């Protein structure tokens, strides 16, 4: 079992207190030393070579082009066709940008290698309990692993009752906490965006507003966890950039959807984690919900459907945490492909689902050097054997993966 930095907020919220204690005792957080040791013990990455993929159909954000040649060197896609070192025949194959998981919890090098093997070349970690460990993971010097961005320690109210996810007392937010200083501390320790936890009894509306404003004043983005209607409405009112998860306890009002659009906010619904929570037997055994609850997976589906119909930007993210206990496994990488299938199932076309994990995620997270196959962009690429626009599950039919022009040696294969 891999060491874990932090568990999924959603899954743990569903588990009983006894189960939480059991899971917590079975885990150990990865330290900066653990991560450096894992990186040191890996086999060396392949050398980057100037590569040409001939006769391959390229996803341009809308459809696949006629067969063409794509060349990359020194980590970037280039128009220079001289001095090619590696030639690949892409006849009958399909090239898409490297995938982006916009909400995940990868704790270590092993998890990063796993997610990369599925063609995920950029991850946005949505929790950090140890700044040194998070920095070590981001700066791992492994050229064939996905790029890592990370939040800092999440903003949690002192009375939220967050169980084992509750930070130590000194990291909680109290009525007299200096909120701008807290935000500055997070970014001073290498955070790429600021994470808030909006839930009952956590942060007041005023506190959320202040935290978001402080981050925005520094030119930074905020991401807010909100998986119930009231909490989401607070997150919308705060004008947090990214709304993480989706309410399952009711349907989004038209007014809330209109406000999301007006505020230019985006939503990462993480349908996969909800699907898992509602369907996996090992989780159901520990669910803290009763038949009287208003929460249903049907609400998740309908809310994503409504947001899509309204034109709200939807990003692909999973909330995957890997294996957390016997019978409870939310695997890295594979879950992102499942997320694309679920998005397709509620009305996104296969092309829109692909965009949600590539150019849309890159654009809204300000990662303008990736997400598209264009001259000058990063050579984060996935070569597929089958056309994902015919069946979105074909994103799993992976032939090759490159991270910044470096070929990944261990690639997940269809079984």
């Amino acid at each position: 079992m891999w060491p874990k930095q932090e568990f999924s907020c959603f899954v743990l919220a569903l588990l009983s207190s006894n189960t939480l204690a059991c899971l917590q005792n079975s885990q150990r957080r990865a330290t900066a030393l653990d991560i450096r040791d894992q990186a040191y013990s890996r086999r060396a990455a392949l050398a980057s070579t100037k590569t040409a993929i001939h006769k391959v159909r390229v996803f341009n954000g809308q459809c696949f082009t006629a067969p063409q040649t794509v060349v990359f060197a020194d980590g970037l896609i280039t128009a220079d066709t001289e001095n090619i070192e590696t030639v690949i025949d892409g006849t009958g194959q399909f090239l898409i940008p490297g995938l982006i998981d916009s909400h995940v919890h990868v704790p270590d090098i092993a998890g990063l290698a796993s997610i990369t093997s599925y063609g995920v070349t950029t991850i946005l970690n949505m929790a950090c309990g140890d700044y040194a460990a998070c920095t070590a993971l981001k700066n791992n010097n492994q050229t064939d692993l996905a790029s890592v961005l990370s939040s800092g320690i999440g903003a949690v109210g002192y009375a939220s009752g967050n169980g084992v996810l509750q930070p130590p007392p000194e990291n909680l937010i109290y009525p007299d906490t200096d909120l701008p200083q807290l935000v500055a501390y997070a970014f001073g320790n290498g955070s790429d965006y600021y994470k808030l936890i909006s839930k009952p009894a956590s942060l007041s509306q005023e506190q959320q507003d202040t935290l978001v404003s402080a981050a925005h004043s520094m030119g930074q983005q905020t991401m807010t966890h909100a998986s119930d209607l009231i909490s989401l409405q607070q997150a919308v009112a705060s004008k947090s950039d990214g709304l993480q998860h989706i309410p399952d306890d009711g349907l989004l009002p038209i007014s809330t959807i209109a406000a999301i659009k007006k505020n230019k906010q985006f939503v990462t619904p993480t349908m996969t984690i909800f699907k898992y929570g509602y369907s996996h037997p090992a989780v159901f055994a520990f669910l803290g919900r009763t038949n009287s609850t208003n929460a249903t997976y049907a609400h998740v589906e309908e809310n994503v459907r409504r947001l899509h119909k309204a034109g709200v930007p939807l990003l692909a993210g999973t909330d995957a945490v890997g294996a957390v206990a016997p019978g409870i496994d939310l695997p890295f990488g594979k879950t992102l492909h499942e997320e694309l299938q679920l998005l397709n199932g509620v009305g996104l076309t296969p092309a829109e689902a692909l965009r949600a994990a590539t150019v849309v995620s890159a654009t809204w997270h300000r990662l303008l050097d990736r997400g598209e196959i264009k001259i000058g962009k990063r050579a984060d690429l996935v070569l597929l054997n089958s056309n994902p626009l015919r069946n979105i599950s074909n994103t799993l039919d992976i032939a090759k993966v490159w991270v910044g022009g470096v070929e990944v040696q261990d690639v997940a294969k269809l079984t």
Side-chain angles (χ1 to χ4, degrees):
M1 184 179 295
W2 295 333
K4 289 292 172 286
Q5 210 171 23
E6 186 164 335
F7 305 116
S8 158
C9 296
F10 179 79
V11 167
L12 291 182
L14 298 179
L15 304 183
S16 70
S17 59
N18 290 337
T19 302
L20 290 175
C22 177
L23 290 178
Q24 176 69 1
N25 291 336
S26 70
Q27 305 297 320
R28 182 177 68 83
R29 286 183 178 180
T31 66
L33 181 59
D34 294 330
I35 291 167
R36 286 192 288 268
D37 285 347
Q38 287 182 12
Y40 181 77
S41 64
R42 289 186 76 235
R43 64 178 172 180
L46 296 175
S48 175
T49 63
K50 188 169 186 178
T51 301
I53 308 175
H54 293 303
K55 301 179 182 178
V56 68
R57 298 182 65 187
V58 177
F59 183 62
N60 63 10
Q62 303 296 335
C63 62
F64 281 101
T65 66
Q68 62 177 267
T69 295
V70 174
V71 178
F72 52 89
D74 300 321
L76 302 176
I77 299 169
T78 178
D80 181 7
T81 59
E82 300 295 323
N83 302 313
I84 301 296
E85 300 170 280
T86 301
V87 176
I88 295 172
D89 183 0
T91 301
Q93 294 179 306
F94 303 84
L95 194 65
I96 64 172
L99 301 173
I100 300 172
D101 191 330
S102 288
H103 187 128
V104 69
H105 299 271
V106 175
D108 55 18
I109 296 295
L112 203 54
S114 178
I115 201 167
T116 308
S117 73
Y118 280 91
V120 181
T121 57
T122 302
I123 69 165
L124 287 95
N125 264 347
M126 282 293 159
C128 174
D130 177 345
Y131 283 120
C134 295
T135 299
L137 190 62
K138 288 169 62 175
N139 303 327
N140 59 64
N141 296 319
Q142 304 297 295
T143 57
D144 59 346
L145 294 182
S147 304
V148 180
L149 292 93
S150 179
S151 71
I153 295 172
V156 181
Y158 73 99
S160 65
N162 223 32
V164 298
L165 287 172
Q166 194 84 335
E170 63 271 19
N171 290 333
L172 294 173
I173 292 181
Y174 299 88
D176 60 348
T177 298
D178 186 333
L179 301 180
Q181 183 180 30
L182 194 67
V183 173
Y185 180 80
F187 287 114
N189 280 277
S191 300
D192 295 294
Y193 34 85
Y194 193 74
K195 173 78 174 291
L196 295 82
I197 310 298
S198 180
K199 58 179 293 187
S202 180
L203 302 171
S204 69
Q205 184 68 64
E206 182 180 2
Q207 286 174 322
Q208 291 189 48
D209 294 349
T210 301
L211 289 164
V212 171
S213 178
H216 287 175
S217 71
M218 299 176 65
Q220 303 286 358
Q221 290 185 300
T222 59
M223 309 296 150
T224 301
H225 166 108
S227 57
D228 63 87
L229 283 171
I230 293 176
S231 297
L232 184 96
Q233 288 166 345
Q234 287 183 316
V236 172
S238 75
K239 298 185 179 180
S240 183
D241 299 275
L243 308 176
Q244 305 297 310
H245 311 301
I246 199 81
D248 65 346
D249 62 337
L251 298 177
L252 287 170
I254 294 175
S255 59
T256 299
I257 296 173
I260 293 171
K261 288 196 67 177
K262 179 181 178 181
N263 295 343
K264 294 182 171 58
Q265 294 165 302
F266 61 85
V267 178
T268 307
T270 65
M271 295 182 71
T272 302
I273 193 69
F274 287 96
K275 182 73 170 179
Y276 189 91
Y278 279 105
S279 62
H280 198 284
V283 173
F284 257 123
F286 305 119
L287 283 177
R289 302 189 180 200
T290 66
N291 291 334
S292 62
T293 181
N294 290 326
T296 67
Y297 184 68
H299 287 149
V300 171
E301 293 181 306
E302 179 58 24
N303 283 332
V304 177
R305 191 176 290 114
R306 290 183 178 193
L307 291 170
H308 172 243
K309 185 176 180 180
V312 172
L314 297 175
L315 280 57
T318 63
D319 208 11
V321 293
V324 296
I328 302 179
D329 183 12
L330 292 96
F332 300 120
K334 182 180 179 182
T335 44
L336 185 64
H337 296 268
E338 292 169 352
E339 184 75 10
L340 301 187
Q341 294 169 34
L342 293 174
L343 289 171
N344 180 220
V346 294
L348 277 72
T349 66
E352 288 174 327
L354 268 184
R355 287 172 57 82
T358 54
V359 65
V360 173
S361 285
T363 299
W364 286 94
H365 282 295
R366 303 176 180 175
L367 303 174
L368 303 183
D369 63 339
R370 67 196 71 192
E372 299 176 283
I373 302 176
K374 290 184 176 180
I375 303 301
K377 300 282 187 176
R378 276 180 60 95
D380 290 345
L381 301 166
V382 181
L383 185 64
L384 301 175
N385 295 309
S386 308
N387 187 344
L389 299 190
R390 290 186 177 176
N391 188 326
I392 192 62
S393 67
N394 287 337
T395 57
L396 281 164
D397 193 6
I398 300 171
K400 291 180 181 291
V401 177
W402 292 269
V403 178
V406 177
E407 185 174 352
V408 176
Q409 298 176 72
D410 297 316
V411 173
K413 299 293 185 180
L414 281 176
T415 57

